[in-house]
Amino acid sequence: PTVICVAGARPNYMKIKPVLDGLEERGARTVLVHTGQHYDESMNDVFFRDLGLRQPDHRLGAGSGSHAVQTARVMTAFEPLVETVAPHAVVVVGDVNSTLACALVGAKAGCVVAHVEAGLRSRDWSMPEEINRVVTDRVSDLLFAPSSDAVTNLTAEGYRDDQIHLVGNVMIDTLYANLDRALSSDALDRYGVTAGGFGLVTLHRPANVDSPDTLAALLDALRQVATRIPLILPVHPRTASRLESAGVPAGLRLVPPAGYLDFLALQASARLVLTDSGGVQEETTALGTPCLTLRDNTERPVTVDEGTNQVVGRDPARIVAAATTVLRDPPAKRRPALWDGKAGARIADVLLDRLRTQGAARPT
Ligand code: UD1
Ligand code: UDP
């Protein structure tokens, strides 16, 4: 069978790689499509090199824009490609605009659509990703859940049991596949930090960085945490210009977006991570690094219930208090079920079995 695998933004590459590998090892023909949602060297090319991801077979070149413009550009470029390739299935990962756009096109073209990372819910409809998650699941045939909370959400929303597959976390497949390489690199020297001697920060959620008042409050919190431990912040392009006008406190060092291996080494060696990223909440849990999530909610509750994550919101006093506690008394390392490096293989087995037994037809 022919399977189109879609990627386009930074967190997609780590998620698609184990799926591509699993499908190819089982003899499927894969077609890698890059939507072009992210395009800077540091948001894109570096991940192909670090992960050993092969170059895309097709590039849609969508680029940046408003939600409607970006989603529409991906859709109008993807539709004729689906017509030409005539795949049996389309695999989309995560919750970015490229995910939703390609799921919609695939479903209307009559392909089996598989969503990797299905069922995650923040229940926060102000997040564009929550809309992408819910709508992508709705038009997908196969729902690959990373954790049991996602299965519970999907069941409650009325999906059939035969659509839902608890397979574990593909992002953690990639983490285990690359951790030794990351740890044996000279990343810490290049960043001028020592293991356990620094905190790592990422910020890019619109709710955190697009409002000057919220960003100022978060920077005030980081300023206070930085009096206890130096902080390093690889800056996402969305955040770069906003930080310039907001002013950066002492003790918080800004660096360009990090490559995957460097960022993995930094996460593994940090005493503490403060973030609003989805993937970083998961990776810190797998690594056993304490994580404070600077949001009011998470679509990844398993990282709190069974991992090292705490959702601490945006109030500086609460963030500083949580950081102080965690620096003194770090949480124990635990690992959620099926976060074992084999999620991509499970996905490939289920998808190819589905195509073999029921053909490529979508259920009516
Ligand atoms: C997107 C995803 C978000 C994900 C994040 C991962 C959506 C709705 N959002 O957010 O879920 O967590 O990617 O990093 O899909 N830009 C560059 N260079 C690039 C890419 C972007 O300069 O290579 C700048 C552009 O000014 C662009 C802005 O960043 O307008 C935002 O990019 P966009 O892809 O729209 O959203 P992200 O904030 O990156
Ligand atoms: N990441 C990276 N360099 C950075 C920040 C993040 O390689 O400077 C990796 C991180 O390890 C994880 C992924 O990017 O694998 C998370 O992506 P991001 O935070 O952009 O998106 P989200 O997960 O919030 O959608």
Side-chain angles (χ1 to χ4, degrees), residues 10-11 14 47 171 204-205 234 257-260 263 267 277-279 283:
R10 178 165 70 185
M14 302 74 174
F47 299 101
M171 201 160 215
H204 73 275
R205 295 260 96 85
Y260 179 72
F263 195 75
Q267 284 189 90
S277 160
E283 290 171 341

Side-chain angles (χ1 to χ4, degrees), residues 9-11 37-40 43 64-65 67 70 95-98 128-129 132 204-205 236-238:
R10 178 165 70 185
Q37 177 168 348
H38 287 171
Y39 41 84
D40 287 352
M43 295 296 286
S64 302
H67 286 279
Q70 188 175 59
D95 56 14
V96 300
N97 285 344
S98 301
E129 293 83 4
N132 293 345
H204 73 275
R205 295 260 96 85
H236 187 285
R238 172 185 286 280

